[in-house]
């Protein structure tokens, strides 16, 4: 009976040892698989970290591109507005220039006889132009010089007395009126100013003839018309000079008061609606302004074109980055799925491992 029991126990023990050996083998295999799975998980995590870093970098780059594109759009908007304002100023100035040129070419503001003579200018050699055509003066002296010239501003400059005589005959024949002519051949370049010491007095700007810009061949006209007139800053200084020199000098102030020999004074509100002397200057100023506006427009157009080109390049780069970003997101999703599956497989291995380990422990107790 005991012997039989011993034999059963020996058989059972042998079976248990065989099973235990199998379990140990299984535990070794599971341990190896667990380690492999953990290694795989670490690799997947490392790849995922790398992909996340790449995504962060791409997001940063695409954000920079978007900021640059936005800056360019804002700048382009400003440039477009500036171009529009430039165009408006240009057309307005061009319109003013055309109107002023039209007035100047038609000699508006001049007497009828002057206009008729100027119509001959292109076909008749020797007619140089009116005084206002040959004299240039700074804006700050315009009032004084035009006051000093008075009606002489409409005098007609010719090359010789013969031209003047022929033109007078033309006016008489056609009953166009009268005009005063200044033949260059009879104009002297000498200044016969009778009180040179007066030029050193307080407030004196200078002789009117010295304050104008004129070609050398026409200097005699300037000396003849303006060489005896002093320009003084204020009427108070002008009166003081007149008193000192016993009313023997002609003075004009910057504001247009005229103090003549003998003591008479002309003045008041200066109305120069025709602005005969300033027309040429205004034309030059507007032409310079138009040239400047044109250059400004060209620069703005170039900058706008450059910005649009840069915007195109940035948009292409942004598109490439977005495409790369999408690819990285796909890789990231795949890695996350694989990592999830690897962790699930590891958990499954651990459960089986723990189950076999429990069975092994139970068998050890049974043994």
């Amino acid at each position: 009976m005991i012997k039989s029991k011993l034999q059963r126990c020996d058989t059972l023990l042998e079976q248990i040892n065989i099973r235990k050996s199998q379990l140990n083998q299984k535990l070794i295999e599971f341990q190896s698989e667990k380690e492999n799975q953990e290694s795989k998980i670490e690799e997947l995590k490392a790849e995922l970290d790398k992909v996340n870093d790449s995504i962060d970098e791409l997001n940063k780059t695409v954000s920079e591109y978007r900021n640059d594109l936005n800056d360019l759009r804002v700048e382009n908007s400003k440039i477009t507005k500036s171009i529009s304002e430039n165009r408006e100023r240009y057309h307005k100035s061009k319109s003013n220039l055309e109107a002023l040129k039209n007035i100047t070419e038609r000699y508006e503001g001049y007497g009828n006889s002057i206009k008729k003579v100027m119509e001959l200018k292109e076909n008749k050699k020797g007619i140089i132009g009116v005084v206002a055509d040959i004299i240039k003066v700074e804006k700050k002296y315009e009032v004084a010089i035009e006051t000093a010239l008075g009606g002489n501003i409409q005098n007609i400059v010719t090359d010789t007395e013969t031209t003047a005589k022929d033109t007078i005959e033309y006016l008489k024949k056609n009953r166009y009126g009268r005009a005063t002519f200044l033949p260059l051949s009879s104009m002297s370049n000498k200044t016969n100013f009778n009180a040179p010491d007066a030029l050193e007095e307080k407030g004196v700007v200078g002789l009117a003839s010295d304050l104008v810009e004129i070609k050398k061949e026409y200097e005699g006209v300037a000396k003849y018309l303006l060489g005896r007139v002093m320009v003084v800053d204020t009427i108070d200084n002008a009166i003081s000079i007149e008193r000192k020199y016993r009313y023997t000098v002609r003075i004009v102030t910057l504001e247009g008061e005229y103090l003549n020999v003998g003591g008479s004074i002309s003045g008041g509100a200066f109305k120069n609606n025709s602005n005969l002397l300033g027309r040429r200057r205004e034309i030059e100023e507007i032409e310079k302004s138009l040239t400047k506006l044109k250059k400004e427009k060209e620069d703005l157009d170039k900058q706008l074109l450059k910005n649009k080109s840069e915007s195109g390049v940035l948009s292409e780069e942004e598109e490439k980055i977005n495409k790369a970003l999408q690819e990285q997101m796909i890789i990231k999703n795949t890695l996350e799925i694989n990592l999830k599956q690897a962790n699930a497989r590891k958990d499954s291995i651990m459960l089986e491992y723990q189950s076999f380990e429990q069975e092994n422990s139970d068998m050890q107790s049974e043994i």
Side-chain angles (χ1 to χ4, degrees):
M1 181 99 178
I2 293 170
K3 188 176 180 181
S4 177
K5 284 182 179 180
L6 282 170
Q7 283 178 344
R8 272 201 314 276
C9 283
D10 285 339
T11 301
L12 188 59
L13 187 61
E14 187 178 348
Q15 289 174 347
I16 290 168
N17 279 325
I18 289 168
R19 178 60 182 159
K20 189 174 184 297
S21 176
Q22 289 174 343
L23 285 172
N24 283 331
Q25 183 60 37
K26 280 283 183 185
L27 285 169
I28 291 168
E29 288 174 6
F30 275 121
Q31 182 65 31
S32 175
E33 191 174 351
K34 176 195 163 196
E35 289 173 358
N36 287 338
Q37 202 64 26
E38 285 176 343
S39 176
K40 185 178 180 181
I41 287 168
E42 289 304 315
E43 287 177 6
L44 287 170
K45 282 182 177 179
E47 284 184 47
L48 190 59
D49 287 342
K50 189 177 178 181
V51 169
N52 280 329
D53 288 342
S54 177
I55 288 170
D56 288 342
E57 192 63 34
L58 288 170
N59 276 325
K60 182 182 175 184
T61 303
V62 84
S63 178
E64 288 172 357
Y65 281 137
R66 282 172 186 163
N67 287 336
D68 289 344
L69 276 168
N70 186 60
D71 290 343
L72 282 171
R73 287 189 191 103
V74 171
E75 188 179 345
N76 286 351
S77 178
K78 290 178 181 177
I79 290 173
T80 303
K81 185 181 177 184
S82 295
I83 288 173
S84 177
E85 291 171 351
N86 172 282
R87 189 182 297 112
E88 188 177 336
R89 290 199 305 272
Y90 184 87
H91 288 313
K92 187 176 179 181
S93 294
K94 194 165 179 58
S95 178
N96 289 341
L97 178 65
E98 287 170 359
L100 193 56
K101 276 187 173 180
N102 191 32
I103 289 170
T104 304
E105 286 167 6
R106 287 190 287 114
Y107 286 90
E108 284 193 15
Y110 289 85
N112 181 61
S113 58
I114 311 301
K115 291 180 182 178
K116 292 298 181 182
V117 173
M118 288 303 103
E119 287 173 4
L120 292 175
K121 186 180 174 184
E122 286 187 14
N123 299 319
K124 186 173 178 60
K125 290 183 179 180
I127 297 175
I128 294 165
V130 294
V131 169
D133 287 338
I134 65 170
I135 285 179
K136 276 176 142 185
V137 62
E138 289 183 56
K139 188 175 181 179
K140 61 184 177 180
Y141 300 137
E142 276 179 9
V143 172
I145 299 302
E146 192 152 345
T147 301
L149 287 170
N152 293 328
I153 199 168
Q154 298 198 31
N155 289 0
I156 299 167
V157 181
T158 63
D159 55 354
T160 64
E161 290 99 327
T162 303
T163 302
K165 186 187 76 157
D166 291 345
T167 311
I168 288 171
E169 286 299 320
Y170 167 77
L171 291 173
K172 285 167 68 176
K173 180 182 177 182
N174 292 283
R175 297 179 180 274
Y176 286 145
R178 298 169 65 83
T180 301
F181 294 85
L182 303 174
L184 292 177
S185 56
S186 62
M187 295 286 113
S188 171
N189 279 346
K190 292 180 181 179
T191 300
N192 297 315
F193 185 60
N194 60 356
D197 292 342
L199 293 171
E200 304 300 322
E201 297 294 334
K202 178 186 175 185
V204 175
V205 180
L207 274 178
S209 57
D210 294 335
L211 299 178
V212 299
E213 184 183 332
I214 195 166
K215 288 184 179 178
K216 192 169 183 64
E217 58 263 37
Y218 306 146
E219 280 181 359
V221 174
K223 300 289 186 187
Y224 173 74
L225 296 176
L226 301 168
R228 296 181 181 87
V229 184
M230 280 184 6
V231 177
V232 177
D233 56 359
T234 66
I235 190 169
D236 289 332
N237 285 330
I239 290 171
S240 295
I241 295 169
E242 281 286 20
R243 284 173 180 166
K244 182 174 179 179
Y245 289 86
R246 300 181 181 276
Y247 308 101
T248 58
V249 291
R250 292 185 179 91
I251 298 175
V252 65
T253 68
L254 293 177
E255 291 189 352
E257 288 90 12
Y258 193 90
L259 289 77
N260 211 335
V261 173
S264 65
I265 302 176
S266 303
F270 188 84
K271 291 184 178 180
N272 186 22
N273 297 328
S274 59
N275 192 22
L276 302 180
L277 199 57
R279 284 178 185 175
R280 303 287 176 183
R281 173 189 55 76
E282 284 183 30
I283 287 172
E284 285 183 12
E285 286 178 357
I286 294 173
E287 284 175 341
K288 285 178 183 177
S289 174
L290 285 173
T291 302
K292 187 178 177 183
L293 286 169
K294 193 175 179 182
K295 177 67 169 59
E296 182 184 296
K297 169 77 163 47
E298 288 172 359
D299 291 342
L300 288 168
D301 284 339
K302 283 179 185 177
Q303 187 60 47
L304 188 62
L305 191 65
K306 182 185 174 187
N307 286 1
K308 285 182 177 178
S309 176
E310 285 182 20
S311 295
V313 172
L314 287 172
S315 294
E316 286 179 11
E317 290 300 318
E318 184 189 9
E319 192 175 336
K320 288 178 185 177
I321 297 296
N322 281 326
K323 189 176 179 182
L325 199 54
Q326 288 172 359
E327 291 171 356
Q328 291 297 305
M329 290 301 293
I330 291 169
I331 293 170
K332 179 184 176 181
N333 291 337
T334 303
L335 285 170
E336 284 177 341
I337 290 168
N338 291 342
L339 186 59
K340 188 176 181 181
Q341 290 174 345
N343 278 317
R345 176 61 186 150
K346 178 188 170 186
D347 291 342
S348 175
I349 291 168
M350 289 300 294
L351 285 172
E352 289 187 64
Y353 183 84
Q354 288 168 3
S355 174
F356 283 119
E357 207 171 37
Q358 182 62 46
E359 188 180 347
N360 189 40
S361 178
D362 293 343
M363 285 193 176
Q364 187 63 39
S365 298
E366 200 172 339
I367 289 169

